[in-house]
Amino acid sequence: MVEKTLFEKIIDREIPAEIVYEDDLCLAFNDISPQAPCHILIIPKKPVSRLAESTDKDKELLGHLLLRAKEIADNLGFSDEDQGFRIVINNGKNGGETVPHLHVHILAGRPLLWPPG
Ligand code: 5GP
């Protein structure tokens, strides 16, 4: 049997997480090592390894993740003009991916630099 990823274990409640949103398709929870005052990960329940492994069949799912990410940021007050937030998807080694289960980072609560490191 294939070993579950860390995020599959969080979905299955085998590892605790501070869950902030859940529906049939996705789960959102606070990052364990926040890089900003608000650092939330939103992940699909479907085990897609990374964005590069997604296909046209995942079109609706990918749209869903972005729309829910936007709503979470909005509900926390980060959509206001004087606030703002950043959405990040790390893909592969040079992209900084460390967990092989697609996840969308929502970062907010401080000015974020560009270009990223
Ligand atoms: P990546 O570097 O793959 O884009 O992002 C993985 C993220 O998962 C990192 O920001 C890391 O802090 C977070 N993370 C790693 N292990 C855990 C964990 O056990 N619980 C939670 N909530 N986040 C984790």
Side-chain angles (χ1 to χ4, degrees):
M1 210 174 100
V2 183
E3 171 79 8
K4 284 183 188 176
T5 65
L6 175 66
F7 289 170
E8 283 176 289
K9 289 178 184 171
I10 288 177
I11 292 167
D12 292 342
R13 307 309 203 259
E14 292 169 14
I15 291 178
E18 294 171 13
I19 293 170
V20 298
Y21 176 81
E22 180 170 24
D23 63 28
D24 288 348
L25 296 177
C26 70
L27 186 72
F29 51 90
N30 289 325
D31 196 293
I32 204 167
S33 176
Q35 301 302 308
C38 169
H39 188 172
I40 292 169
L41 301 173
I42 180 163
I43 66 173
K45 290 187 174 176
K46 176 181 171 183
V48 178
S49 303
R50 59 191 58 81
L51 188 63
E53 308 296 330
S54 64
T55 71
D56 278 4
K57 286 185 185 152
D58 299 313
K59 193 186 288 187
E60 200 170 319
L61 178 62
L62 294 175
H64 185 79
L65 292 176
L66 279 184
L67 289 168
R68 294 300 80 80
K70 177 210 72 164
E71 277 175 11
I72 290 167
D74 191 32
N75 288 339
L76 293 171
F78 295 118
S79 291
D80 296 351
E81 212 172 311
D82 64 341
Q83 285 287 329
F85 59 91
R86 182 173 293 170
I87 297 297
V88 173
I89 299 176
N90 294 328
N91 190 106
K93 190 177 164 197
N94 280 352
E97 174 200 314
T98 58
V99 180
H101 183 118
L102 177 62
H103 46 285
V104 175
H105 295 257
I106 307 167
L107 294 149
R110 68 169 173 85
L112 297 164
L113 300 178
W114 193 264

